[in-house]
Amino acid sequence: MSEVTRPRALTVRLNWQWRKMAATQSGVSGPGKPLTAEQVVAGFNRLRQEQRGMASKAAELEMELNEHSLVIDTLKEVDQNRKCYRMVGGVLVERTVKEVLPALENNKEQIHKIIESLNVQLQTKGRELNEFREKHNIRLMGEEEHKQSPKDSGDGPGSKSSSAGVLVS
């Protein structure tokens, strides 16, 4: 039963962290005051770090899903009454293949659901990060050269307004 609630618990925890972060961002300078450059950079870096953390967790779960698939495929070819060992909560437990196989398949399904949920949250975080970048006119160091050449040729003297922003390395 605890495995079924795992995706929801992860989702709730991540959503709570995002709401907490949004509350601290809006409460830092008050509703009428603009954020300082340091606050904008800190907020942007925090969003990027959260996105990287979620991507890292998704990659870790993908590897775990692949391991489950390999073990399931191996156990399907083995006699159902054969002994096998499974790690449960840090304890190695002796079971039979017919007892372990359904549990592994259930775990695999749950991991797959968590990965799907995490990918949706990752896309949402990416959109949030892009909105934050646009709102605060944030440019990354590597893309400054790529984006200014088309703007310089098309905008002419009006391109000065786009240069007032925050540059993040």
Side-chain angles (χ1 to χ4, degrees), residues 110-125:
Q110 294 302 318
I111 292 170
H112 185 69
K113 288 178 185 176
I114 292 171
I115 290 171
E116 288 177 351
S117 171
L118 205 52
N119 284 335
V120 168
Q121 292 174 3
L122 192 58
Q123 291 173 354
T124 303
K125 181 58 72 176

Side-chain angles (χ1 to χ4, degrees), residues 54-64 118:
M54 289 189 326
S56 170
K57 187 64 174 175
E60 177 185 329
L61 289 172
E62 285 284 348
M63 290 184 347
E64 195 170 321
L118 205 52

Side-chain angles (χ1 to χ4, degrees), residues 1-10 110:
M1 185 59 94
S2 66
E3 293 172 355
V4 175
T5 60
R6 189 181 302 166
R8 174 107 174 107
L10 177 66
Q110 294 302 318

Side-chain angles (χ1 to χ4, degrees), residues 78-123:
V78 178
D79 179 31
Q80 295 292 309
N81 294 322
R82 185 174 175 180
K83 287 183 194 177
C84 66
Y85 296 90
R86 181 176 182 216
M87 185 74 75
V88 179
V91 177
L92 199 58
V93 180
E94 181 180 333
R95 300 276 190 235
T96 62
V97 172
K98 67 180 173 187
E99 293 171 335
V100 170
L101 197 55
L104 284 174
E105 289 171 341
N106 185 33
N107 283 353
K108 182 181 171 186
E109 290 173 19
Q110 294 302 318
I111 292 170
H112 185 69
K113 288 178 185 176
I114 292 171
I115 290 171
E116 288 177 351
S117 171
L118 205 52
N119 284 335
V120 168
Q121 292 174 3
L122 192 58
Q123 291 173 354

